[in-house]
Amino acid sequence: MDYGRSERPAGAAPLPTAIKILIAGGFGVGKTTMVGAVSETRPLRTEEVLTETGIGIDDLSGVEEKSTTTVAMDFGRITISDDLVLYLFGTPGQDRFWFVWDELALGALGAVVLADTRRLADCFPSIDYFEGRGTPFVVAVNCFEGARTFRLDEVQAALDLDPGVPVVLCDARQRESAKEVLITLLEHAMKLREARRRAAGD
């Protein structure tokens, strides 16, 4: 049976470009909060209540008040412009859910690695993962109340980042702050893509 090719009506606005972005980082760093704050639709969440079975497995140091955890992903969407829509996938933060990451990372343009200066070492698994895949990423320091503040160059040095990796401050609870982080990632990813294109042409 033959099917006619579907065509958009003449004069119709072009469909926006859809881009997949990952929101990563350690346990309790604010990934679910960021996706929820910036998403223009009701975010999809896969949170479960922490139970006694996680004792000795889930490290609650610095986030003792946390009572839930993401077990698969968070999902949200934000329109950056008329021709650009971002689909956000928040990754689970605990080691026991790492098997989900490879599926979530497929087709992603880049990633935001959220950092908490109280537990900066929790960033390393995410950073190592994206460096290993060659995925562009930025580090966003989530400014928790009462946490010690550091200069961005100090954070970059502590995480042993390539000088070209952007490090920014953010408040994951605030939509505009989270949006600025995403724009920084887009600009960084586009810059890297252009550099690779030029290198391939040499």
Side-chain angles (χ1 to χ4, degrees):
M1 180 176 179
D2 293 332
Y3 291 88
R5 187 177 66 179
S6 175
E7 296 183 355
R8 291 181 58 75
L15 292 173
T17 299
I19 292 178
K20 182 179 183 180
I21 299 294
L22 299 186
I23 311 296
F27 179 55
V29 77
K31 300 179 295 293
T32 298
T33 299
M34 173 175 273
V35 173
V38 79
S39 180
E40 62 198 15
T41 61
R42 183 177 181 181
L44 169 67
R45 293 173 174 169
T46 57
E47 287 194 307
E48 296 292 341
V49 175
L50 291 169
T51 64
E52 292 183 356
T53 58
I55 296 176
I57 300 175
D58 300 328
D59 183 6
L60 296 178
S61 301
V63 287
E64 290 81 4
E65 73 285 356
K66 188 170 175 61
S67 61
T68 61
T69 185
T70 299
V71 297
M73 68 174 184
D74 301 306
F75 175 77
R77 184 188 74 192
I78 177 174
T79 301
I80 298 296
S81 63
D82 291 341
D83 60 353
L84 184 61
V85 176
L86 304 186
Y87 290 94
L88 311 176
F89 291 79
T91 64
Q94 296 135 294
D95 293 349
R96 55 195 170 114
F97 297 124
W98 269 76
F99 65 90
V100 179
W101 280 54
D102 287 342
E103 292 294 329
L104 292 179
L106 287 175
L109 176 74
V112 173
V113 177
L114 276 175
D116 178 352
T117 57
R118 300 170 299 180
R119 298 176 295 126
L120 204 55
D122 290 358
C123 291
F124 283 119
S126 299
I127 290 171
D128 290 344
Y129 181 83
F130 296 125
E131 286 182 339
R133 291 181 64 96
T135 301
F137 68 94
V138 302
V139 173
V141 179
N142 195 8
C143 299
F144 287 90
E145 294 180 7
R148 182 180 174 185
T149 58
F150 295 87
R151 298 195 315 271
L152 295 181
D153 61 317
E154 292 178 317
V155 174
Q156 191 163 43
L159 294 176
D160 194 25
L161 296 173
D162 183 277
V165 176
V167 180
V168 298
L169 298 176
C170 79
D171 184 337
R173 302 167 298 179
Q174 301 298 323
R175 175 181 171 83
E176 286 304 313
S177 180
K179 185 176 179 179
E180 286 300 317
V181 172
L182 296 173
I183 291 173
T184 299
L185 172 61
L186 287 176
E187 293 173 344
H188 176 57
M190 292 298 101
K191 181 179 179 181
L192 288 180
R193 176 172 290 187
E194 179 62 19
R196 290 168 182 169
R197 185 188 68 79
R198 290 180 178 176
D202 290 343

